[in-house]
Amino acid sequence: MVRTRGEHEQLLLPALERINRIILAAPSLDAMLTDVLDAMLELLDCDRAWLFFPCDPDVKAFTVPMERYRPEWPGLGVSRERMPVNPFVQKALAGALKSDGALRWDATNPDTPGVLEMLERWHVRSLLLMAIYPRSGPPWCLGIHHCAQARVYTEDDVVLFENLGARLADGLTGYLALNASLADRARLEQAQAKGRIGSYEWTRGEPEASWSKELYRLLGYDPARVPALFANLVGAVHPDDRERFQQQLARVMQHGGTYEVQVRAVRPNKEQWVMHSWGQAQVENGELVSMLGVAQDVTERVQAEEAQRRLEAQLRQSQKMQALGQLTGGVAHDFNNLLTVIMGNLEEIREQLVGRPLGIELLEQVQQAANQAAELTQRLSAFSRQQPLQPRVIDAGRLINNLEALLRRTIGADVTIEVVTGARLWATEVDPAQLENALVNLAVNARDAMPDGGKLRIETENVTITAADTDAHDELRPGEFVLITVVDTGSGMPEHVLNRAFDPFFTTKGPGRGTGLGLSMVYGFVKQSGGHVRLHSKVGQGTAVRIYLPRSLQKLARSEPPRPLEEDPHGNGEQILVVEDDPHVRTLTVRMLERLNYIVRVAEDGPSALSIIEQHDDIQLLLTDIVLPKGMNGVELSRIVRSLRPTLPVLYTSGYTENAVIHHGRLDPGVQLLEKPFTRSELARHVQKALTPVAGKAEAKS
């Protein structure tokens, strides 16, 4: 029976409308395929309906994305599994691609060798199949089976099948595009989450912008509660940065173009920096038409840059302190030479003023001034970390308790002192005299910061510093420390003063009230002892100085009783070679030694001294300055002399050691040093010690 076009349309339209409704209503691709194939079972009165993918005879395997069937004729049961392409499937797929419409195998189709056998294996009596072409991607293959009885397909059957296939191709086009879009969106969201980049887009006429998931997360907003409005974008900015952000946003809205601004976000208990960039803002007649913006979490980058700036500042500070240390060390060397001459000659003059009280009184004033100058140079040496320390393993808490009475007398009654020592305090190895000196300096600074009285608190405790506790601003390293904290309730220091507090000669006190070396001495001594100093201060709230001294695992040293004063020991005509480049110091030293009954030979540099050593084998002591001219210092001289005279003792003198014989705050083993400025008594005792047999053996071993 031949139907007219109108009759065909009357049969097709209800079926196509049904398929259209299914496609539009389906929530997913799988649901759409399921419902369309179920409808085809009914509309074409078939027993199976299925889809192959891809429709390509050249592939080695294919899948069955969807298969629907009547219960009595179950399908292949291989949905979504990859199946090898056998000759029959290859022939069917090739035929479907070549054909302009559906292919059929039924009673009217002549038998092709192997086809009917394959169909019988699947219990297929009749078959329709065709290639369908979504607008993107490879073609698919749609087919139906009649299994209960052979079916001779009419022209109406074929037309209906082909039209249903075409509608299914349209449905696949939409859902495949949607899935691709969702996959792209998912990949975009993953990329944004990984890069911590959020995006927002707005078009004129839309009540809200479109924000990505990552933007909501980045700003700390709940998508279900916070609408995507510009006001909320502004509200997520830290109040201190909000005005700057609004100004940039206003420029974008008025002029379009590309802008960028870095601001802090409002996040509880967390610092977060966000970089906002606008690259596609379109403005027509002064009105914003559309805008695309990107917000990126740049917190790690900002923190890394800040850490880098801190490290650079720390390096600059370290270099500055090192340069100042070298400068002050050199100044201390020159001053110590001058003071040696001054103080030594004052001693000589005093002996000539016996019975002249006025002269002695005037002389004592000069000696007092010289002693104060010597103390200043000692502080310079402490800052430059070149003073020779005498470290011992001590209990810092016990030392502070013993020092408390002296501190009370030093700072007066207007300041209340509280000493709190921690239980089971660890031992630490430092020079106790220098630690006492440092604490007295800190107490005096605290007193001066509290002219109307106040409170000074000194605490000791054990602390373990971890990597998380260290600050990029300073050089404190992880480890176990004895912490001494000196806190006052004084006026405090502003930041610009705090930044220079350790600089030598820097002081905020009036003329005549301070040298600016107190904190410098503390800093140098603690660093030379392997420790660290932290300084915290706020104007009106006081100052806290924290001294970290490394823990020692050695036993506490026994306290030695003070030795009684003895007369200056004299020599028995021993011969001493004095090597000193300063003529005034050299003359004074020779005169002192001769009055102590020694025979003295002199040299002003290393080469001259070596010449004397080679000519005179009766030299019994080498007394040499460390800093010498002509490219050979005292240490180098002593090494050469030792190669010639292994048992010859050496006594060094110096006002500045330049790390020649002091390392890590200690004299090198076997080294004997007489610090400048020295008195005749000090010279006599050091020379006698160097000439004793025990000292001589120790020198030989070194």
Side-chain angles (χ1 to χ4, degrees), residues 281-302:
Q282 296 182 356
V283 177
E284 294 180 0
N285 300 322
E287 183 179 355
L288 184 67
V289 176
S290 65
M291 183 173 69
L292 176 64
V294 172
Q296 182 177 10
D297 185 347
V298 294
T299 306
E300 290 185 0
R301 189 189 76 191
V302 171

Side-chain angles (χ1 to χ4, degrees), residues 128-149:
L128 279 178
L129 63 84
M130 66 179 292
I132 60 176
Y133 299 88
R135 291 184 185 144
S136 62
W140 297 47
C141 185
L142 171 67
I144 61 172
H145 291 165
H146 282 83
C147 301
Q149 58 183 6

Side-chain angles (χ1 to χ4, degrees), residues 58 75 173 181 291 336 374 403 435 452 477 513 548-549 556 564 573 610 679:
D58 296 328
T173 297
S181 175
M291 183 173 69
N336 281 327
L403 189 64
L435 179 57
D452 299 324
R477 294 293 178 262
R513 295 194 57 208
Y548 295 82
L549 298 175
L556 294 176
L610 286 176
T679 64

Side-chain angles (χ1 to χ4, degrees), residues 645-660:
R645 300 272 303 276
T647 60
L648 182 67
V650 178
L651 174 60
Y652 295 107
T653 65
S654 184
Y656 178 58
T657 63
E658 292 186 312
N659 290 324

Side-chain angles (χ1 to χ4, degrees), residues 18-32:
R18 179 177 176 182
I19 297 300
N20 285 339
R21 288 194 299 270
I22 290 173
I23 292 173
L24 293 174
S28 65
L29 175 62
D30 281 355
M32 186 269 289

Side-chain angles (χ1 to χ4, degrees), residues 195-265:
R196 300 178 185 176
I197 300 173
S199 60
Y200 46 96
E201 187 174 2
W202 178 82
T203 304
R204 183 170 57 187
E206 296 293 333
E208 294 185 13
S210 174
W211 288 5
S212 69
K213 288 182 179 180
E214 183 62 16
L215 181 64
Y216 274 105
R217 188 207 63 77
L218 193 150
L219 301 181
Y221 284 151
D222 182 354
R225 297 183 179 181
V226 179
L229 302 175
F230 284 117
N232 292 327
L233 196 66
V234 174
V237 177
H238 192 282
D240 294 344
D241 299 344
R242 198 167 290 164
E243 182 178 355
R244 181 163 53 90
F245 179 80
Q246 288 176 311
Q247 290 174 351
Q248 287 288 67
L249 185 60
R251 290 192 187 98
V252 173
M253 292 182 169
Q254 291 174 8
H255 307 293
T258 301
Y259 292 91
E260 192 172 82
V261 61
Q262 183 172 290
V263 295
R264 287 166 293 175

